[in-house]
């Protein structure tokens, strides 16, 4: 179909602005890169059916097919086959908006992935793993307010610990200033307030080009889910999840590397001691 990002990532029932051609046949056929259960890894998938072969769902009032093709909503089925094993398939069901302004996924099998990376599970713990999963499911169904609320709950629950761990990534000279701010932050009630206090003292290693993940997180947490639409909430929910994943991964990798380094050094030093004696 039309767009790689749309097929690979777009949650169900969300509007994807698209310049819809007049006829289904004029849609491009694109290859996508997604997980294959048989190959057990990401692979290229090719579209195997034709747009004009897709069953056209016509309202009984419209008898002429040509009229249905250009004037009615279109519901299109897409079949995709893994190019490596030629066994595993993915299916998409797409709706074209009646004003031809957007397209929408209304079905997908297998569903979008909700697996949680191991490092996330280790850092957020069992209690929040469940919220993370529910957040991913809400995201995939386009329930922005729900996803936002689940991710926010995780951040509220782990924020003190997360900010403590960030301090380990700072050089000694900047640590003191950060920890002073952190003590102040811990006395405040919610995550957005805590982040506000320390966000500009973040370790340079965490800054990515023009993005400071704590500042971005702060902005996304500050939107009011009571007043914003599902569409706005979903974008912000994804920002919260991505920044959470980035921070947790950076902290986890640093801790693992540090442990590994200390273990290696201990072993090497022990060996040297033996030679000396
Ligand atoms: Zn495969």
């Amino acid at each position: 179909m039309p767009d790689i990002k749309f097929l690979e990532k777009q949650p169900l029932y969300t509007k994807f602005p698209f310049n819809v051609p007049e006829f289904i046949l004029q849609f491009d056929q694109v290859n996508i890169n997604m997980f294959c259960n048989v190959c057990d890894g990401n692979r290229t998938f090719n579209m195997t059916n034709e747009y004009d072969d897709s069953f056209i769902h016509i309202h009984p009032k419209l008898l002429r097919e040509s009229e249905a093709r250009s004037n009615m909503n279109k519901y299109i089925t897409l079949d995709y086959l893994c190019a490596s094993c030629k066994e595993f398939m993915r299916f998409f069901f797409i709706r074209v908006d009646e004003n031809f302004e957007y397209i929408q996924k209304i079905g997908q099998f297998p569903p979008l992935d909700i697996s949680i990376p191991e490092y996330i599970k280790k850092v957020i713990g069992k209690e929040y793993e469940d919220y993370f999963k529910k957040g991913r499911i809400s995201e995939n169904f386009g329930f922005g307010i729900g996803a936002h609320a689940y991710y926010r709950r995780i951040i509220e629950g782990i924020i003190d610990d997360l900010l403590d761990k960030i301090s380990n990534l700072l050089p000694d000279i900047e640590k003191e200033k950060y920890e002073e701010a952190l003590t102040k932050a811990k006395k405040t009630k919610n995550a957005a307030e805590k982040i506000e206090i320390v966000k500009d003292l973040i370790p340079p290693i965490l800054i990515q080009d023009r993005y400071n993940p704590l500042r971005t997180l702060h902005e996304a947490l500050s939107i009011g889910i009571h007043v914003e639409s599902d569409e706005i909430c979903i974008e912000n929910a994804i920002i919260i999840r991505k920044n959470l994943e980035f921070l947790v991964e950076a902290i986890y990798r640093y801790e693992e590397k540090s442990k590994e380094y200390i273990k290696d050094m201990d072993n090497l030093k022990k060996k040297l001691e033996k030679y000396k004696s």
Side-chain angles (χ1 to χ4, degrees):
M1 175 89 177
D3 189 278
I4 297 171
K5 191 174 155 258
F6 170 76
L7 290 174
E8 291 177 355
K9 311 255 186 224
Q10 191 73 10
L12 294 180
Y13 307 115
T14 51
K15 295 174 185 175
F16 185 85
F18 194 76
N19 195 7
V20 180
E22 192 181 353
F23 296 102
I24 296 178
L25 280 168
Q26 292 167 326
F27 274 125
D28 286 334
Q29 287 201 5
V30 294
N31 297 336
I32 52 173
N33 191 275
M34 291 185 82
F35 192 83
C36 169
N37 291 9
V38 173
C39 301
D40 197 22
N42 271 28
R43 295 289 184 276
T44 299
F45 283 74
N46 306 124
M47 190 171 148
T48 53
N49 63 330
E50 297 291 332
Y51 291 120
D52 60 340
D53 285 340
S54 301
F55 183 72
I56 298 163
H57 303 261
I58 310 174
H59 191 282
K61 273 199 278 189
L62 282 171
L63 299 173
R64 287 196 350 251
E65 188 180 288
S66 59
E67 201 175 338
R69 278 173 177 236
S70 57
N71 295 331
M72 283 294 289
N73 294 349
K74 296 179 179 72
Y75 298 90
I76 313 164
T77 314
L78 308 181
D79 302 344
Y80 271 86
L81 178 70
C82 171
S84 297
C85 64
K86 300 220 174 353
E87 265 186 53
F88 190 69
M89 290 194 78
R90 288 184 168 274
F91 304 93
F92 301 91
F93 197 26
I94 314 294
R95 171 180 176 265
V96 178
D97 157 53
E98 62 234 51
N99 297 317
F100 302 98
E101 284 167 2
Y102 64 84
I103 49 176
Q104 220 176 5
K105 252 189 214 168
I106 52 173
Q108 173 167 359
F109 189 83
L112 281 166
D113 185 29
I114 54 152
S115 59
I116 308 173
E118 280 309 308
Y119 64 86
I120 298 265
K121 287 187 192 169
K122 280 193 180 137
V123 176
I124 68 175
K126 198 80 197 141
E127 185 187 350
Y128 296 112
E129 191 184 317
D130 191 41
Y131 285 141
F132 196 90
K133 205 174 272 174
K134 286 178 178 162
R136 289 304 311 263
I137 294 169
S138 305
E139 225 186 270
N140 289 351
F141 280 95
F143 304 144
I145 298 170
H148 194 283
Y150 281 122
Y151 295 144
R152 187 188 194 108
R153 185 71 75 84
I154 300 171
I155 303 277
E156 294 289 353
I158 66 163
I159 190 67
D160 282 348
D161 190 37
L162 195 72
L163 295 179
D164 264 337
K165 285 178 170 161
I166 285 177
S167 134
N168 294 334
L169 305 175
L170 276 163
D172 281 345
I173 194 162
E174 286 161 36
K175 212 176 245 182
E176 206 177 311
K177 211 170 162 194
Y178 178 87
E179 280 174 0
E180 224 172 83
L182 188 55
T183 311
K184 222 188 275 174
K186 283 185 179 172
K187 287 180 187 150
T188 62
K189 272 191 240 143
N190 66 52
E193 280 177 61
K194 290 173 199 279
I195 295 171
E196 164 91 73
I197 296 171
V198 296
K199 68 183 187 335
D200 294 321
L201 303 168
I202 194 168
I205 196 174
L206 292 177
I207 309 255
Q208 301 299 305
D209 196 7
R210 56 200 176 282
Y211 293 108
N212 168 339
L214 278 187
R215 192 178 296 166
T216 320
L217 199 53
H218 179 260
E219 283 164 9
L221 286 171
S222 304
I223 75 134
I225 57 169
H226 307 294
V227 289
E228 299 294 355
S229 65
D230 252 342
E231 276 86 7
I232 291 177
C233 284
I234 205 158
E235 298 301 329
N236 277 293
I238 295 171
I239 290 175
I240 296 174
R241 173 172 62 78
K242 287 205 174 279
N243 280 281
L244 174 68
E245 284 173 350
F246 174 78
L247 288 170
V248 165
E249 186 176 6
I251 292 164
Y252 177 75
R253 302 266 174 247
Y254 174 82
E255 285 179 350
E256 288 298 295
K257 275 212 174 315
S258 163
K259 268 188 229 157
E260 195 185 305
Y261 172 81
I262 293 167
K263 199 173 139 202
D264 285 351
M265 285 306 115
D266 282 351
N267 285 338
L268 288 165
K269 288 273 182 193
K270 254 185 223 161
K271 271 188 197 163
L272 272 180
E273 289 301 317
K274 261 190 213 165
Y275 290 130
K276 276 186 199 165
S277 56

